[in-house]
Amino acid sequence: PDLEAELQLDRLKPRPSRRVLLLQGHQPSWQDDLVVAPGTPPVCSNLTAYLRNKTELKDKLSPVALSVALT
């Protein structure tokens, strides 16, 4: 069976005001299908995220919440 993996950065903020983005694509989320089958080698994904420029940030005190979902 395949799994769908989803990562959401700064998920408690509305989409236009998210403070953390992924380097590749400059988006606050990532999705991919993972193949899970006997004999399949493990899969590792490295994602680099960055904080937006501090001049663009209005909220600097609240924590950055993220979520990972496998469905």
Side-chain angles (χ1 to χ4, degrees), residues 8-21 28 52 59:
Q8 291 283 329
L9 301 173
D10 209 13
R11 67 179 180 79
L12 299 178
K13 295 286 182 187
R15 198 162 183 83
S17 63
R18 293 196 180 175
R19 301 163 290 172
V20 182
L21 301 172
R52 297 177 96 162
D59 178 7

Side-chain angles (χ1 to χ4, degrees), residues 35-43:
V35 177
V36 180
T40 304
V43 175

Side-chain angles (χ1 to χ4, degrees), residues 6 14 19 26 40 43 47 50 52-53 55 57 59-60:
E6 181 180 10
R19 301 163 290 172
H26 306 286
T40 304
V43 175
L47 303 169
Y50 65 94
R52 297 177 96 162
N53 189 331
T55 59
L57 298 178
D59 178 7
K60 297 177 184 171

Side-chain angles (χ1 to χ4, degrees), residues 46-71:
N46 291 315
L47 303 169
T48 302
Y50 65 94
L51 284 169
R52 297 177 96 162
N53 189 331
K54 65 182 177 181
T55 59
E56 298 175 45
L57 298 178
K58 294 180 180 160
D59 178 7
K60 297 177 184 171
L61 298 176
S62 63
V64 174
L66 63 96
S67 66
V68 176
L70 297 172
T71 54

